[in-house]
């Protein structure tokens, strides 16, 4: 005999299913109080850029501001040049911005201007930060590259570029420059090395309308509704995969952050998740009901880990791999020019009334947070380096005096003829040789002199070694700092005072000291230095000031003040104490 469920039990089951279906956090930002409020001096004019401390933003009144993920205004500085809306953050939280007068400007991490240079053309998008500290600029018909010291590395004329598709860095470090011209209704792009050498022109399988960068290369969306990966293997660009959706429509490609292995393709009624490396479909989620997402009005969409985060003009939400909502927020009715999500899950709205509001999004019953953003790693473009041998006692020196003079001129910021900047292989060769030489100098510093073996080349040729050390510090890139730190420490312990003086004197030329490792190494040198060696002590002071002035960060300024203050101790000679006092005054002034 069948038993019928009573209305009471049906009501209980219905209520249970309803609760289960809505097991996520919902926020109506028109009614919620923000977790924090920040009021910078003026409206934010374009999307803020991520930094290690939080974000940097361009504000009204020709000013930039830095603020934490929890809404603390850390600094705000005005600039002389009127900024355009194009800027990006780089190594060590430096800020590159383009001014209305077609100039590129570099600010230190605290917003102080370091230098300005004339681009010579109208820049059409945010500067693209390279892996080794350099930056790439693009106009309608030009692409250029600048180093951290303001040196123009190269400039190429590439006519009629498609500026609606930004520059993108492929997995090997080469740059894709999309062109406006179509060939048989298919997009084309020029692949160019970070040293300015044009490698090839690529013809894609269709007309590209969007692109996003992932670890494996560049993923593009095409007008026929397909998506595909362009990657580099064995020095050549290839198609990694192509994905076609039967539902049709042009997909919106989500960004991949925190090394997420998944890419989301947002179609009209669903989002499809693929493995970025292979294009294999992992799962899909129907975008209806509570999960509705207006593809035409997306403000952000990205994958982090296995979760998907998206926002249109009305709602923001987070989905897990099972397709379940973890949280959802209804956006304020008031105009919100820019909105983004922080690592600590604050949904941040930049209003048109000066205020910036942060709303904390809790992850439903799981209470989990997405993976934290990884620190931007710097690396040399070594796959484009040439194979060279360092100097040794058999073959002699690797660089002649003429070549050294050419390298000094190339790395300098002095204006030169265009022809001097149009040798793309030149910089790759220079860095290849310097890398081989510095590596060998470091290797020789680890070998003890027993008196029974042949004296290594660089120990026998101090003048040449000093020239190499000085050159490595003037590249304007973030490629030799780590080896330099090791050399400072090992040379200080070895007692090679001539090499030590050269290292200490040139350390400040780097300027960039992202983690304070150069300052720590100089502090170590000071602890080992002869109290009467005024040359080394004064050089420590000079280099400490150059680094502090370039970086500007309070933590590093404090570290610099500590190092200089030690030299003002009564144990040191009066000449050293007086010089240290004068440098300390300059550091204090730089921190204001």
């Amino acid at each position: 005999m069948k038993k019928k469920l009573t209305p009471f039990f049906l009501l209980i089951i219905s209520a249970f299913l309803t609760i289960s279906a809505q097991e996520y956090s919902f926020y109506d930002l028109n009614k919620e109080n923000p977790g924090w409020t920040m009021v910078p001096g003026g409206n934010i004019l374009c999307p803020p850029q991520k930094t290690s401390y939080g974000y940097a933003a361009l504000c009204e009144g020709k000013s930039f501001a830095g603020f934490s993920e929890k809404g603390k205004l850390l600094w705000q500085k005005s600039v002389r040049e009127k900024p355009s809306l194009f800027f990006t953050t780089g190594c060590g939280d430096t800020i590159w911005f383009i001014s209305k007068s077609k100039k590129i400007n570099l600010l230190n991490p605290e917003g102080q201007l370091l230098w300005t240079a004339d681009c010579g053309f109208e820049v059409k998008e945010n500067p693209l930060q390279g892996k080794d500290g350099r930056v790439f600029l693009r106009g309608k018909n030009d692409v250029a590259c600048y180093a951290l010291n303001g040196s123009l590395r190269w400039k190429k004329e590439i006519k009629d570029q498609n500026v609606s598709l930004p520059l993108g860095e492929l997995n090997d470090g080469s740059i894709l420059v999309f062109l406006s011209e179509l060939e048989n209704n298919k997009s084309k792009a020029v692949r160019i090395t970070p040293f300015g050498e044009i490698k090839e022109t690529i013809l894609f399988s269709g007309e590209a309308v969007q692109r996003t960068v992932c670890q494996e290369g560049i993923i593009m969306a095409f007008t026929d509704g397909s998506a595909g990966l362009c990657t580099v293997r064995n020095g050549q660009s290839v198609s990694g995969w192509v994905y076609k959706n039967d539902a049709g429509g042009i997909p919106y490609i989500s960004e991949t952050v925190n090394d997420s292995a998944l890419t989301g393709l947002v179609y009209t009624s669903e989002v499809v998740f693929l493995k970025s490396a292979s294009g294999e479909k992992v799962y899909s989620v129907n975008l209806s009901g509570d999960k509705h997402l207006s593809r035409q009005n997306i403000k952000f969409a990205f994958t982090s880990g296995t979760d998907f985060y998206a926002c249109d003009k009305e709602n923001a939400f987070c989905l897990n791999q099972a397709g379940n909502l973890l949280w959802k927020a209804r956006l304020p009715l008031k105009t919100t020019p820019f909105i983004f999500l922080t690592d600590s899950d604050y949904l941040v709205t930049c209003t048109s009334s000066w205020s910036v509001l942060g709303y904390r999004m809790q992850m439903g019953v799981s209470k989990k947070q997405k993976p934290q953003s990884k620190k931007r790693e710097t690396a040399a473009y070594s796959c484009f380096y040439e194979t060279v041998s360092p100097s040794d006692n058999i073959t002699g020196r690797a660089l002649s005096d003429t070549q050294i003079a050419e390298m000094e001129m190339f790395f300098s910021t002095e204006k030169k003829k265009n022809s001097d900047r149009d040798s793309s292989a030149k910089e790759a060769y220079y860095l290849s040789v310097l890398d081989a030489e510095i590596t060998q100098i470091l290797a020789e510093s680890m070998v003890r002199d027993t008196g029974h073996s042949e004296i290594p080349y660089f120990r026998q040729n101090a003048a040449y070694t000093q020239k190499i050390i000085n050159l490595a510090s003037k590249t304007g890139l973030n490629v030799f700092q780590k080896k330099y730190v090791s050399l400072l420490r090992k040379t200080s312990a070895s007692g090679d005072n001539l090499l030590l003086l050269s290292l200490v004197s040139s350390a400040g030329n780097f300027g960039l000291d992202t983690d304070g490792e150069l300052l720590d190494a100089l502090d170590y040198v000071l602890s080992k230095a002869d109290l009467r060696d005024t040359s080394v002590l004064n050089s420590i002071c000079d280099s400490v000031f150059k680094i502090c002035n370039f970086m500007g960060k309070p933590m590093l300024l404090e570290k610099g003040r500590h190092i200089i203050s030690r030299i003002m101790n009564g144990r040191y000679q009066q000449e050293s104490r007086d010089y240290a006092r004068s440098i300390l005054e300059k550091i204090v002034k730089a921190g204001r």
Side-chain angles (χ1 to χ4, degrees), residues 142-305:
D142 299 279
V143 179
C145 175
Y146 282 84
L148 282 160
N149 61 358
S151 169
L152 172 64
R153 288 305 156 91
W154 51 264
K155 181 180 176 182
K156 291 286 184 182
E157 183 181 48
I158 301 177
K159 291 186 176 181
D160 200 22
Q161 298 174 39
N162 183 353
V163 294
S164 67
L165 292 171
L167 295 179
E169 190 173 60
L170 286 160
N171 52 307
D172 70 334
S174 57
I175 306 298
L176 269 193
V177 184
F178 291 89
L179 305 179
S180 294
E181 180 187 12
L182 300 179
E183 184 174 321
N184 297 323
N185 295 320
K186 298 176 181 179
S187 292
K188 297 192 297 183
V190 173
R191 186 167 76 91
I192 187 169
T193 73
F195 303 116
E197 179 186 1
I198 294 177
K199 300 295 288 185
E200 59 181 323
T201 299
I202 305 170
L203 181 65
F204 297 109
S205 60
E207 182 180 352
V209 291
Q210 189 205 348
R211 70 101 186 109
T212 191
V213 177
C214 65
Q215 282 188 307
E216 291 77 16
I218 294 177
I219 301 173
M220 291 163 287
F222 299 97
T223 54
D224 65 357
S226 66
L229 170 71
C230 178
T231 187
V232 177
R233 295 172 186 163
N234 301 319
Q236 291 292 321
S237 65
V238 296
S239 174
W241 50 261
V242 174
Y243 177 83
K244 293 186 178 181
N245 190 302
D246 296 333
I250 302 173
Y252 179 98
I253 312 172
S254 70
E255 294 184 48
T256 58
V257 301
N258 306 328
D259 296 336
S260 174
L262 297 181
T263 296
L265 304 182
V266 182
Y267 291 91
T268 303
S269 59
E270 69 172 343
V271 55
V272 177
F273 296 93
L274 312 176
K275 290 183 179 179
S276 301
S278 65
E280 176 188 348
K281 181 177 177 179
V282 180
Y283 67 102
S284 63
V285 178
N286 185 271
L287 295 176
S288 61
D290 288 347
K291 303 169 189 174
H292 175 72
L293 179 66
S294 173
R295 185 201 167 283
Q296 289 75 27
N297 297 298
I298 291 177
K299 291 179 176 287
F300 66 73
F302 63 89
T303 56
S304 180

